[in-house]
Amino acid sequence: MSFSNFYYGTNFNKNFALQNDLSLQARAIRVINIFRFLLSLILVVFYVFSDKLNLSDGSNNLPLFFSLALAYTLFSISLLVITPLKSSAIIFFHPVQIVIDILFIIMMMYAAGGIQSGLGLLLIVTIVTASLVSNGRLALFYAAIATISLLLEQSYRIAQWNLPVSSYTQSVMLSLSCFATAWLAYSLAKRILLSEALASSRGVDLENLAQVNELITQQMQDGVLVVDENLNIRHHNAQARLLLSLNSSTGNDLALMEHAPAIANLLLYWADGNDEHKNLIIPVSNRELNLRIEPINHENRKLGAVIFIQDWSKIQSAAQQTKLAALGRLTASIAHEIRNPLSAISHANQLLQEEENLSETNTRILEIIEDNTQRINQIIKDVLELNRRDRTQQEKITLNQFIVDFHTQFCAIEKIPASHFTLELCPAQYTITFDRRHLMQILWNLCKNAWEHGRKEIGSLHLNCTRAMQSALSGNRAGLHLEVIDDGPGIAEHERNKLFEPFYTTKTTGNGLGLYISRELAEANNAQLYFHPLDRGSAFILELRNTN
């Protein structure tokens, strides 16, 4: 998640809050429309049963009341039909609807006998609901319309029936009630608006904080799992998804027991109050993972936990790199101090070997001294190569010519018959960008190991150059493979994951640095070295990327 996405998300939250407010108003208007429809039906029923209730007297006009009730019903039905189609427009024309409601109520109140009918109380209900929908902005306006209508209705009735002026009392009291109710509705709406604004602001802040937290967790080098009390993964970052091979979809909660049962069992054991497994290294998905568990609620561990996951193999690799770098610097600083006495020992040993009449025992001792002197010297040379990884001198190399020259030189120095070391050149004249000295050392180490572990027969050692359309290193880009194949017994499965570890060797005379240095030099030249088991023998593949 980038900063631009974060900024866009903030603006989106504000716009969504405004749109949500409009949708709430639209829903409230629909509720008022339903209330208006039910009220109109009640008024029609009121007219139907007016004869049984003996409501007919000289002050009312039931036919006019029935006509107004039917008109009000048609008006409410039309609004019920139109509102879902034009909900956004109805919001802006809602004040006109309320004014029409007030006029209908006043006219039906007149037809039902005036203020004595009690229908004037519907004005208070209408003013309150309309004021809340309009967020209190038009509350006093509705109260003023209702008051003017009430006073005009009462004035007309006084003029028509010659009533005393004191009959204004009830109308005035109802008008004051409308204003008081409108003011209360305005105050309540204002308070609701402040609460909504505060809630919306807090919601935006919480959403922004959630996005910042997600940005931080997604960029963490450690995997993060948030697990609830039902062992469902509620949240995980990209590193956890990579380490545990989780599904990329985050729409549904993932079951921890299904995707990582070892972690789930460990979490259950930890939730029971056992702290000895709070930090533990366990194998998951062919990786060694270091887990650190922290509770969501310190008072009750069973409510969930946050699990931090580290790739222990990478940590070990980094530690090993640090050790080797320190070892390389130490060896480089004392190389001359070691080699000077080592040269003296080797020279003295050679002089002793030239003496005559040496016993068989002394001859064997001198050979042991010579072998171990050469071994010490080779270890120093190999460790010194660790400091030269980043000092590459890359150049354009014609690969087929290089392979032929290497084959000739290797067979001559290692005293291998040419028929025992076969070649298969590249299908075209490819050139690569590589450090010539590094490429020579990589192939020399691989071919020497293959020859030592092979049957030493015709075709026991084979160097093959092939074109790879889909490269593991470069995606779909074409690359080249240099394959060193032997016909030996192969490598046991339990030893394959240790092949490229430094100082690991199965030979009594080896120092375990050959394959490790070869892989480091390959990576320094933007290439990759890996092992591929065969039915008979083994294959080490050097994958080249910088090809032309």
Side-chain angles (χ1 to χ4, degrees):
M1 182 187 298
S2 62
F3 180 78
S4 60
N5 292 336
F6 170 72
Y7 179 76
Y8 171 78
T10 302
N11 290 334
F12 174 78
N13 291 333
K14 295 180 180 178
N15 295 331
F16 178 78
L18 295 176
Q19 294 176 1
N20 192 43
D21 183 55
L22 292 178
S23 63
L24 287 175
Q25 287 187 359
R27 288 197 293 269
I29 290 175
R30 293 191 190 101
V31 173
I32 292 178
N33 290 338
I34 296 173
F35 169 75
R36 182 187 293 114
F37 174 70
L38 295 177
L39 177 61
S40 64
L41 291 180
I42 292 173
L43 293 175
V44 172
V45 173
F46 178 78
Y47 168 78
V48 172
F49 292 96
S50 60
D51 294 336
K52 296 181 180 181
L53 296 175
N54 297 321
L55 297 176
S56 178
D57 56 21
S59 62
N60 55 25
N61 188 347
L62 292 181
L64 177 61
F65 179 86
F66 180 66
S67 300
L68 291 172
L70 287 179
Y72 194 47
T73 303
L74 294 176
F75 173 68
S76 62
I77 292 174
S78 62
L79 289 179
L80 281 175
V81 175
I82 296 174
T83 299
L85 302 177
K86 299 289 185 180
S87 58
S88 59
I90 292 298
I91 294 175
F92 299 101
F93 290 100
H94 184 249
V96 178
Q97 301 174 29
I98 300 302
V99 171
I100 294 175
D101 286 336
I102 293 174
L103 294 178
F104 266 112
I105 292 173
I106 293 296
M107 289 187 291
M108 284 186 288
M109 184 181 69
Y110 167 76
I115 195 72
Q116 304 295 333
S117 64
L119 294 179
L121 295 177
L122 295 176
L123 293 173
I124 296 177
V125 177
T126 302
I127 291 172
V128 170
T129 55
S131 300
L132 293 177
V133 171
S134 63
N135 295 328
R137 289 190 294 268
L138 299 175
L140 297 179
F141 169 74
Y142 297 143
I145 295 296
T147 298
I148 293 172
S149 301
L150 278 172
L151 294 179
L152 289 176
E153 187 273 337
Q154 188 63 26
S155 298
Y156 180 77
R157 183 171 290 278
I158 289 174
Q160 184 180 11
W161 299 95
N162 295 321
L163 298 176
V165 179
S166 59
S167 59
Y168 274 114
T169 304
Q170 290 183 344
S171 298
V172 172
M173 294 300 295
L174 183 58
S175 300
L176 293 176
S177 300
C178 289
F179 272 101
T181 304
W183 181 257
L184 291 175
Y186 171 76
S187 301
L188 179 60
K190 186 177 180 181
R191 208 171 266 190
I192 291 175
L193 283 177
L194 291 175
S195 299
E196 287 182 351
L198 180 61
S200 178
S201 176
R202 294 287 175 83
V204 171
D205 291 340
L206 288 175
E207 182 66 22
N208 293 340
L209 183 60
Q211 292 178 356
V212 171
N213 290 336
E214 183 178 358
L215 176 63
I216 294 173
T217 55
Q218 291 297 334
Q219 297 299 323
M220 289 178 61
Q221 297 299 319
D222 295 344
V224 178
L225 289 180
V226 180
V227 184
D228 61 11
E229 64 274 12
N230 298 320
L231 295 184
N232 292 323
I233 302 175
R234 304 299 299 274
H235 175 74
H236 62 276
N237 63 352
Q239 185 67 11
R241 183 164 59 248
L242 176 64
L243 294 175
L244 301 179
S245 301
L246 301 176
N247 296 330
S248 58
S249 174
T250 56
N252 300 322
D253 292 342
L254 303 175
L256 183 63
M257 185 64 73
E258 178 181 352
H259 292 82
I263 298 179
N265 294 328
L266 176 63
L267 185 61
L268 289 174
Y269 186 74
W270 169 84
D272 292 333
N274 303 293
D275 287 331
E276 58 267 23
H277 293 324
K278 184 178 181 180
N279 293 277
L280 188 66
I281 298 174
I282 61 174
V284 176
S285 300
N286 298 324
R287 287 187 175 96
E288 289 187 345
L289 303 180
N290 182 25
L291 306 182
R292 181 167 61 89
I293 306 176
E294 295 294 337
I296 295 177
N297 189 331
H298 289 276
E299 297 180 356
N300 188 358
R301 292 185 175 183
K302 295 185 178 181
L303 294 179
V306 180
I307 305 175
F308 298 92
I309 307 173
Q310 292 179 319
D311 191 345
W312 187 247
S313 59
K314 287 188 176 180
I315 297 175
Q316 286 183 318
S317 177
Q320 191 68 40
Q321 293 283 353
T322 303
K323 292 179 181 178
L324 291 173
L327 179 60
R329 290 192 296 268
L330 176 63
T331 307
S333 64
I334 64 174
H336 295 291
E337 300 298 330
I338 294 177
R339 279 180 169 174
N340 288 336
L342 192 63
S343 299
I345 294 173
S346 178
H347 182 65
N349 185 65
Q350 292 175 2
L351 293 177
L352 289 174
Q353 287 179 340
E354 293 176 358
E355 291 187 2
E356 298 179 358
N357 301 324
L358 285 175
S359 64
E360 184 178 350
T361 302
N362 291 335
T363 301
R364 179 56 183 158
I365 292 174
L366 294 177
E367 290 177 354
I368 293 174
I369 294 174
E370 182 179 3
D371 291 341
N372 284 275
T373 302
Q374 293 178 358
R375 184 180 180 186
I376 293 173
N377 187 56
Q378 185 62 40
I379 292 175
I380 294 174
K381 289 172 60 178
D382 289 342
V383 175
L384 284 175
E385 286 294 334
L386 297 176
N387 287 335
R388 301 174 184 172
R389 168 180 172 171
D390 299 327
R391 295 182 297 213
T392 61
Q393 298 179 357
Q394 296 184 358
E395 58 180 295
K396 296 288 185 179
I397 301 175
T398 303
L399 193 54
N400 280 343
Q401 184 62 43
F402 180 87
I403 293 175
V404 172
D405 295 341
F406 168 78
H407 177 266
T408 303
Q409 185 177 356
F410 184 81
C411 291
I413 295 177
E414 297 294 336
K415 299 178 182 179
I416 298 175
S419 59
H420 291 54
F421 185 6
T422 59
L423 292 178
E424 185 174 342
L425 300 178
C426 300
Q429 290 297 329
Y430 287 99
T431 60
I432 62 172
T433 303
F434 216 96
D435 188 310
R436 184 180 296 271
R437 184 173 56 87
H438 288 174
L439 183 58
M440 177 69 73
Q441 183 174 356
I442 293 171
L443 292 180
W444 203 286
N445 288 340
L446 296 178
C447 291
K448 188 174 182 179
N449 286 341
W451 177 252
E452 291 177 354
H453 291 89
R455 298 176 182 271
K456 297 180 176 59
E457 300 173 351
I458 296 177
S460 292
L461 177 59
H462 183 70
L463 177 58
N464 182 25
C465 179
T466 59
R467 185 171 181 265
M469 291 302 299
Q470 290 187 347
S471 168
L473 182 65
S474 56
N476 294 328
R477 181 178 176 179
L480 289 176
H481 284 176
L482 288 180
E483 301 175 355
V484 179
I485 305 172
D486 66 74
D487 60 353
I491 300 175
E493 186 174 356
H494 66 277
E495 294 180 346
R496 293 173 185 172
N497 59 343
K498 300 180 181 180
L499 280 176
F500 296 98
E501 290 185 5
F503 303 110
Y504 176 80
T505 180
T506 57
K507 298 186 296 184
T508 57
T509 58
N511 53 43
L513 288 174
L515 288 178
Y516 173 76
I517 292 175
S518 298
R519 187 185 62 178
E520 293 294 304
L521 295 179
E523 293 178 356
N525 289 272
N526 201 18
Q528 185 179 10
L529 178 63
Y530 56 92
F531 169 76
H532 180 69
L534 301 175
D535 294 336
R536 180 184 177 185
S538 303
F540 284 88
I541 301 175
L542 178 62
E543 187 174 305
L544 305 172
R545 179 180 180 183
N546 298 337
T547 62
N548 185 13

